[in-house]
Amino acid sequence: MLVLLGFAMIAVFMVLIMTKKMTPVLALIIVPTVFGLFAGAGLGIGDMVLDSMKSMTSTAALLMFAIIYFGLMIDVGLFDPLVRFILRKLGNDPAKVVLGTALLAAAVSLDGDGSTTFILTTAAMLPIYLRLKMSPVVLTCVAGLANGTMNIVPWGGPTARAASALKIDVNEVFVPMIPSLIAGLAVVLVFAWVLGLQERNRLRAAAPEIWGVPDTAEGFDGGSTAGGSGTGRGRNGSGPAGEAPAGLSPEGSSVGGSVAVLERTETLVDDSDTAMADTALDPNRKTLRPKLQWFNLGLTVAVMGMLIADLVPLPYVFMVGSAIALLVNFPHVKDQGAQLVAHAQSIVAVVSMVMAAAVLTGVLTGTGMVEAMSAWLVQIIPSDMGPLMAVITGVLSIPMTFFMSNDAFYFGVLPVLSETAAHYGISAAEMARASITGQPFHMQSPLVPAILLLVSLAKVDLGDHHKKVLWRSAVVSLVMLGVGMLTGAIGIG
C-alpha cells in the first residue's frame, strides 16, 4: 500500500504542476497531505513536516539573502560591464547566446555548488535573454543540464556520497567516469545549440522585419533590405524605424544608397540605448551606483571567496554581504526598505517553495513511503537479471534521485543494490559509478533547493522548466550510462 501511495503521490504531483492545474507551492502542500492521511499519518503528519522543515531553514535563509544580494548587485549595475562584454564576444545571435550559457554554467559548476552556479549564470545571462526577447525557460533548461552533468565531480556531493556509502576511494569512482562526463557535456552543448537555433527561428518568425533572414556566410544577422528601402534607419540617412526587440535598434549603415546588414551587436552594447527602459539593464535606472563599482566588485569577490573557502556557514555569508551592500549603496533607511520590497516577490516565491517541499519530504520519510518504495524496487528485480545490476542501478538512479534526496538514495538504497550485485561479480566501484549517472535528472527535482533558486531568479514556472528539461536530462543521463558501459567503467557481471 505504501508503495502504491508513494508512486501515486509523485505522479499526481508531477501531473498537476506540468499541466498547470496547481502551482508548485500548493501542489507540494496539498498532494502530500492528502496521500499522507491515506497512508495513516493521522495527526502525526504535522510533526513529520516540522521535522523535515527544520533541516531546510538554513537553505531557505541562504536562498533568501542570496536573492537579495545578487538582485541588489544587478540593480546597482555591477554586472552591466560583464553583460556588454559577453555581448561583444557572442554577438546577439540567440544560438551563440544559448551555447554561451551552457559553457558558462558548466565552467562555474566546477566549484561544485549548484546555487552559486545558478546565481552567477542567471545574473550574467538573464539580462541578455530579456534584451533579445529570448525565453528565460531556455536559460533555466541549459543551465540545469550543464550543472546536473557537472554534479558528478568528486567535490560536488553525489560521488563522495556513493564512495562513502560503499567504503571505496572517491577517485576510484570518478576517474573512470571522465569519458562519460565529457560525453554528457557534449550532449548538453548539442541541446543548447539546437535550442538556440529554435530561439533564432522563433524571433525571426515573430519579427521578420527586424531579424531578417539568415545570411549564408554569417549564419545569422540582421539581413538586408532590397532596393535601398526597409525598416532600418541608415547611419547616414533617414527612414522609418521598425519596432525592434528589447534592446535592438533597427539601425544599419548606408552603403552606396542601400541599407546594409543591421549592426545589432553595436547597438546592443550602447549605453545610450533606451529600449531597455523598465528592465534590469535600463541604462538610466535610478539604482545605478557607478561610483561604487569597485567597492561592489570587491565585496562580491570577497563573498565568493567565502563561499569557496567554506569557513563560515553560507547563509550567514550572504546575510552579512547583503547588509553591507545595502548600507553602502543605499545609506538612507527609506531606500533600503525599497530595495528589500523590490525583491520581495522573488524571495517569497523561492522560500515558500522550499518550505512547502518540506511537506513532501516529511510525508515520504515519516510514513515510510521512501523505504517501502526502495525495498519494492530491489525485490522486483529478477534474479536472472543479476549480472545487469550496475546497469539497472544506473537506470533506477534517474527517477529515484529525482523523488528522494541524494542521502536517502546513496546511503539507503545503493548499499542494498550493491550487496545484491556482489553475488554476480559486480564490484562496488562499478555500482557507485552507475549510481551517479542519474545526476543530470536529479538536479531538476523540486526537492533540490538550487533548482528552485534558478527558476525563481529567472521568473520561470517550475512546470514550464520541467517540460523542457526533463526528457533532455534523461537523455544526458542515459548517454553517460551508455558511455560508462562502453568504456568498461560500468560492467556487466
Side-chain angles (χ1 to χ4, degrees):
M1 180 61 70
L2 288 177
V3 173
L4 292 175
L5 287 174
F7 283 114
M9 178 174 69
I10 291 168
V12 171
F13 167 74
M14 293 301 298
V15 169
L16 286 175
I17 66 169
M18 294 186 71
T19 58
K20 294 188 177 181
K21 299 296 183 183
M22 195 175 290
T23 65
V25 172
L26 294 182
L28 283 167
I29 296 172
I30 295 175
V31 174
T33 298
V34 172
F35 279 88
L37 294 175
F38 273 112
L43 296 178
I45 193 171
D47 293 330
M48 296 177 189
V49 172
L50 288 180
D51 288 341
S52 178
M53 194 174 293
K54 290 176 183 177
S55 64
M56 295 190 173
T57 53
S58 61
T59 299
L62 166 63
L63 300 183
M64 174 180 174
F65 286 97
I67 290 173
I68 292 175
Y69 183 84
F70 284 99
L72 175 63
M73 288 298 113
I74 291 174
D75 289 345
V76 299
L78 175 63
F79 298 107
D80 286 22
L82 174 61
V83 171
R84 296 186 185 102
F85 173 79
I86 294 174
L87 282 171
R88 290 189 183 98
K89 295 300 181 182
L90 298 178
N92 58 323
D93 182 348
K96 293 180 181 178
V97 170
V98 178
L99 187 62
T101 303
L103 292 171
L104 176 62
V108 181
S109 294
L110 285 171
D111 75 344
D113 182 71
S115 296
T116 303
T117 297
F118 294 145
I119 287 170
L120 294 180
T121 303
T122 306
M125 302 305 298
L126 181 60
I128 299 173
Y129 278 70
L130 297 179
R131 193 163 196 170
L132 297 178
K133 285 193 173 180
M134 295 170 62
S135 171
V137 182
V138 174
L139 186 157
T140 64
C141 175
V142 171
L145 287 174
N147 180 254
T149 304
M150 291 295 293
N151 203 40
I152 72 167
V153 294
W155 52 90
T159 302
R161 286 182 175 91
S164 299
L166 301 183
K167 297 178 177 60
I168 54 180
D169 184 78
V170 68
N171 288 331
E172 190 179 354
V173 178
F174 174 70
V175 174
M177 290 297 290
I178 291 177
S180 291
L181 175 60
I182 295 173
L185 287 175
V187 175
V188 171
L189 294 179
V190 170
F191 278 140
W193 183 253
V194 172
L195 285 168
L197 293 178
Q198 292 174 352
E199 282 296 282
R200 176 197 287 180
N201 295 332
R202 182 183 65 81
L203 290 170
R204 188 189 305 136
E209 73 280 6
I210 301 301
W211 294 101
V213 295
D215 184 84
T216 54
E218 301 296 331
F220 181 78
D221 56 32
S224 59
T225 55
S229 63
T231 60
R233 180 176 55 197
R235 195 175 294 277
N236 299 316
S238 61
E243 182 181 355
L248 294 181
S249 174
E251 186 176 10
S253 59
S254 179
V255 180
S258 63
V259 180
V261 173
L262 301 181
E263 297 176 339
R264 286 189 185 77
T265 303
E266 189 171 338
T267 58
L268 273 171
V269 299
D270 186 1
D271 281 355
S272 64
D273 182 12
T274 59
M276 285 300 290
D278 300 323
T279 70
L281 283 186
D282 185 348
N284 300 312
R285 58 191 187 273
K286 296 180 180 180
T287 57
L288 285 175
R289 298 292 186 269
K291 294 182 179 179
L292 295 172
Q293 186 80 1
W294 288 108
F295 170 81
N296 290 321
L297 177 60
L299 179 61
T300 301
V301 170
V303 169
M304 291 296 99
M306 293 297 291
L307 288 179
I308 297 172
D310 197 21
L311 299 175
V312 181
L314 299 188
Y316 183 64
V317 172
F318 277 109
M319 284 181 178
V320 175
S322 299
I324 296 174
L326 276 171
L327 185 62
V328 174
N329 287 277
F330 301 93
H332 300 294
V333 174
K334 182 179 179 180
D335 293 334
Q336 294 170 4
Q339 277 298 301
L340 292 174
V341 171
H343 302 289
Q345 182 178 357
S346 297
I347 294 169
V348 171
V350 68
V351 173
S352 61
M353 203 176 302
V354 170
M355 293 293 99
V359 181
L360 179 60
T361 56
V363 170
L364 277 171
T365 303
T367 59
M369 289 184 187
V370 167
E371 292 82 354
M373 294 163 67
S374 302
W376 178 77
L377 286 171
V378 173
Q379 291 174 1
I380 64 171
I381 300 174
S383 57
D384 57 352
M385 296 184 67
L388 298 174
M389 280 298 296
V391 178
I392 293 172
T393 298
V395 174
L396 288 178
S397 72
I398 297 175
M400 293 189 74
T401 57
F402 186 84
F403 295 118
M404 64 176 66
S405 68
N406 275 337
D407 288 336
F409 178 74
Y410 289 110
F411 293 113
V413 180
L414 181 58
V416 178
L417 294 173
S418 182
E419 185 178 351
T420 304
H423 296 292
Y424 299 94
I426 301 174
S427 69
E430 291 175 298
M431 293 294 290
R433 294 168 197 150
S435 70
I436 63 176
T437 58
Q439 286 305 302
F441 200 84
H442 160 77
M443 281 302 298
Q444 318 312 319
S445 171
L447 303 181
V448 176
I451 207 66
L452 301 181
L453 176 64
L454 173 64
V455 297
S456 176
L457 290 175
K459 293 181 174 59
V460 166
D461 184 82
L462 183 62
D464 290 338
H465 173 74
H466 279 165
K467 286 180 183 178
K468 193 172 288 290
V469 79
L470 285 185
W471 73 266
R472 290 180 172 88
S473 59
V475 170
V476 175
S477 291
L478 291 174
V479 167
M480 294 176 69
L481 178 62
V483 172
M485 295 171 61
L486 291 174
T487 59
I490 301 171
I492 299 177

